Amino acid sequence: MKQLSLRNIAAASHGIYHGDGALLDREIAGVAIDSRKVEADFLFVPIKGARVDGHTFIPQVMESGALCTLTEQPLSDVSFPWIQVPSTADALRDIAAFYRNSLDIKVVGITGSVGKTSTKETIASVLSQKYRVLKTEGNYNNEIGLPLTVFQIRPEHQVAVLEMGIDHFGEMHRLASVSQPDICVITNIGLAHMENLGSRDGILKAKTEVFDHLKPDATVILNGDDDKLCTVSLVQGKAPVFFGLDSSRDAWADGIENLGLRGTRCTLHLPAGDVRVHIPLPGEHMVYNALAGACTGLALGLSLEEIREGLATLRTIAGRSNLIDTGSLLIIDDCYNASPASMKSSLDVLATAEGRKVAVMGDMFELGPGERELHYNTGVYAARKGIDVICCIGCLSRSTWEGARSQRTADSGSVLYFETRDEFLDKMKNVIQKGDTVLVKASHGMEFSKIVETLQ
C-alpha cells in the first residue's frame, strides 16, 4: 500500500519500531484486525475486545505471513518486526488518517440519525456513473470499521463514499479525522442515541463535529427540511447546500408519484436544471436520498443524465428495505436497524402493498427516557396506516402493542404481542398467510434476520 511503510506506520501511530532496520521501508499489503483475514505482508492490529484480546493471536498471524504487528505490550524473544503503541485502537485510526491524507481521492462523508446507509447507497450509485467508487460495506461505519474501509482504497478508486455512525460525543470528531471529507452530507437529526446524547440539540452538536476535519473548501450538503440542520448557516465561511421538498431550498423536488413497492417518480429541481427521475426503491423518503445523491453528483461534475441513470439503477441491500419475493410472500427486509422515524417510513411503504399487510416490529434501542412513549406512538401510527396484522416483539414493543390496540376495535384487524423473537417464530405459521406482504423491522440487536430467513 503506497506510503504505508513500516517507518511511516510507526511515525503515524506514535509507536516505537522493533526489528530489522532493513525492513523499515517495506510497504504493507493490507491491514487486518481479524487473525483469520491476515494475508502475506499484512499489518496485524490486535484489538482488545470484550471477550477476546487480539494480542493472543500475534504469534499465529506472524507465522502465517504478516509483515509486522502492532502491540500495546512489549514482545520478547521474537524474530519478527513489531511496533509498540499506547493504544492499538487509536493507532488504527491514526494510520488510516495518514493513509487517507496521502491519497489523491475525493471523499464523501455521510452521517445523520436516519437513512445513512440508504443515502450512501444512493450517492454511490449516482457517482458510479462517472467514477470508480469505493463505499462502506456492512456496518463498517464506526471507529474500527471506518479505518478498515479506508484501508480498502486502492489506486484505481477515484471516490470513496464513507458512512459514519456515532452514539457518543467526540466520536464524530475522531471519525472525521480519519475520513477528512471533501463533501459532507447530513441526512437529518432524529431521535436515535438520545440515551447518550441527551436531546436533538445534543445530537446536532455531535453530528456536526464532522465539520472539525473537513478538507479546505469542502462542500456541505444538508437536509434543509430538518428543523435542526436548517439552522446551520456557514461552515468554514461557506454556505451549505440545502435540499428538501420546499422550493426555497437549493435543490428541491415536486411532482412526486408514489408507485408503491415499485418506487417513486419525481422531478428534481437542481441548480444545473430540472430532471424527471425514477427511484426504484419504495418509500417517498427516498426522494430525500435522491436529492442528496443529485447534489453530491453535481458537486463532483456529473451531468443531469448521469444523475438520472444513477438513480434508476439503484439497488437494495440485505436488511435495508430489501424486497424479497418468495413466490408465496413478499418480504420487506428492513431488519438491520430501527428508529421511530425509520419505522414510520417503513410502515408507509408497507401501506402501499397489495393484499394483506403484516408488520413484524421489534424493539428500538437507545431512545432514552421517552422510549416507552415513542414505541406507543409507533403502534398508534401502524394502526392508523391500516396495517392488517401488527406483530410486536420484545420488552419495549409491549408499548407498541398497547399503542396499536388503542386504535383498534375487535374486528378492525389483529394486534399481537410476543415476548421474544423465538416465541413469534414458534407461532408464525398461525400468523402469516400465503399472499401476505410482510415488513420485518427492529434494532439490529433484536437479530430479526432470523425471522427473514425463516420466512424465506
Side-chain angles (χ1 to χ4, degrees):
M1 297 174 68
K2 186 179 178 182
Q3 298 297 325
L4 284 187
S5 66
L6 298 188
R7 186 188 305 277
N8 287 342
I9 288 169
S13 63
H14 311 286
I16 300 173
Y17 176 80
H18 300 266
D20 186 349
L23 296 176
L24 272 169
D25 292 316
R26 283 273 300 275
E27 293 180 344
I28 61 171
V31 179
I33 64 169
D34 186 335
S35 62
R36 296 165 296 184
K37 296 181 179 180
V38 171
E39 299 178 22
D41 291 335
F42 266 44
L43 173 70
F44 179 56
V45 182
I47 301 294
K48 290 182 178 179
R51 290 174 294 181
V52 178
D53 184 350
H55 287 78
T56 61
F57 298 99
I58 288 176
Q60 172 186 328
V61 300
M62 297 311 297
E63 287 181 10
S64 65
L67 177 61
C68 183
T69 183
L70 299 188
T71 176
E72 295 177 7
Q73 308 157 0
L75 303 180
S76 59
D77 300 323
V78 297
S79 59
F80 52 78
W82 52 284
I83 298 171
Q84 186 172 0
V85 296
S87 163
T88 54
D90 290 348
L92 183 71
R93 291 195 306 271
D94 292 340
I95 298 165
F98 170 83
Y99 181 59
R100 184 271 180 266
N101 207 38
S102 73
L103 299 169
D104 182 18
I105 188 172
K106 294 296 185 182
V107 170
V108 181
I110 302 168
T111 190
S113 296
V114 179
K116 293 185 294 295
T117 298
S118 57
T119 301
K120 176 256 300 181
E121 292 294 322
T122 304
I123 290 173
S125 183
V126 169
L127 297 183
S128 293
Q129 300 302 308
K130 185 180 178 72
Y131 299 107
R132 293 184 295 277
V133 176
L134 175 88
K135 64 182 180 180
T136 300
E137 298 291 350
N139 62 347
Y140 275 39
N141 65 357
N142 55 28
E143 293 193 62
I144 297 297
L146 177 67
L148 293 176
T149 300
V150 168
F151 289 130
Q152 295 299 314
I153 299 173
R154 293 294 183 267
E156 64 267 21
H157 294 124
Q158 297 169 297
V159 178
V161 182
L162 305 179
E163 179 183 335
M164 296 177 288
I166 64 163
D167 55 18
H168 286 84
F169 290 110
E171 280 184 281
M172 184 59 73
H173 178 86
R174 295 189 292 272
L175 291 176
S177 73
V178 174
S179 61
Q180 303 169 45
D182 298 278
I183 298 174
C184 171
V185 179
I186 306 183
T187 61
N188 46 57
I189 302 298
L191 299 172
H193 311 304
M194 187 81 79
E195 182 179 20
N196 300 322
L197 300 174
S199 67
R200 289 185 66 226
D201 286 327
I203 295 169
L204 174 67
K205 182 176 184 293
K207 297 291 185 183
T208 53
E209 288 175 6
V210 68
F211 299 157
D212 296 344
H213 291 284
L214 297 178
K215 285 290 189 181
D217 202 35
T219 298
V220 174
I221 300 172
L222 306 177
N223 180 348
D225 290 352
D226 184 279
D227 63 323
K228 298 298 182 183
L229 289 174
C230 72
T231 64
V232 177
S233 55
L234 295 175
V235 181
Q236 294 182 347
K238 185 178 176 182
V241 175
F242 287 107
F243 64 88
L245 302 186
D246 191 306
S247 60
S248 66
R249 309 302 178 217
D250 300 296
W252 56 286
D254 65 2
I256 298 172
E257 181 185 356
N258 192 327
L259 305 177
L261 298 182
R262 291 181 290 115
T264 304
R265 287 195 186 95
C266 65
T267 299
L268 304 184
H269 301 275
L270 308 172
D274 300 343
V275 59
R276 186 75 177 167
V277 300
H278 174 221
I279 310 162
L281 305 189
E284 291 190 15
H285 61 282
M286 289 297 300
V287 174
Y288 283 96
N289 295 350
L291 285 164
C295 290
T296 305
L298 289 179
L300 289 176
L302 270 70
S303 67
L304 294 180
E305 186 55 39
E306 287 169 328
I307 290 169
R308 186 210 310 270
E309 184 63 21
L311 295 174
T313 55
L314 180 60
R315 295 291 178 265
T316 59
I317 57 176
R320 307 281 191 168
S321 298
N322 184 30
L323 296 182
I324 303 170
D325 190 345
T326 70
S328 59
L329 297 174
L330 183 60
I331 304 166
I332 305 174
D333 169 18
D334 204 3
C335 68
Y336 183 78
N337 219 334
S339 68
S342 67
M343 190 73 84
K344 290 177 180 178
S345 293
S346 294
L347 289 166
D348 290 344
V349 171
L350 177 62
T352 68
E354 298 178 355
R356 206 172 73 130
K357 305 164 187 64
V358 181
V360 180
M361 301 186 294
D363 292 353
M364 299 175 285
F365 298 149
E366 297 183 357
L367 297 180
E371 60 186 6
R372 294 286 179 182
E373 181 182 2
L374 292 167
H375 281 80
Y376 184 93
N377 292 340
T378 300
V380 170
Y381 190 85
R384 290 180 177 174
K385 290 299 293 187
I387 306 305
D388 298 296
V389 181
I390 301 171
C391 301
C392 307
I393 305 171
C395 178
L396 295 173
S397 292
R398 186 170 185 84
S399 295
T400 311
W401 174 76
E402 291 170 353
R405 283 285 296 265
S406 73
Q407 305 297 308
R408 288 278 167 95
T409 60
D411 59 353
S412 65
S414 299
V415 182
L416 307 172
Y417 176 70
F418 306 87
E419 288 190 0
T420 66
R421 180 199 65 187
D422 290 343
E423 181 187 351
F424 171 78
L425 289 171
D426 288 341
K427 300 176 181 178
M428 191 173 70
K429 289 184 179 180
N430 299 323
V431 177
I432 308 299
Q433 300 176 6
K434 185 176 181 179
D436 285 351
T437 297
V438 186
L439 167 68
V440 184
K441 188 167 180 66
S443 282
H444 189 59
M446 295 294 288
E447 298 182 347
F448 270 25
S449 57
K450 178 65 175 177
I451 294 177
V452 174
E453 293 168 8
T454 307
L455 285 168
Q456 288 181 271

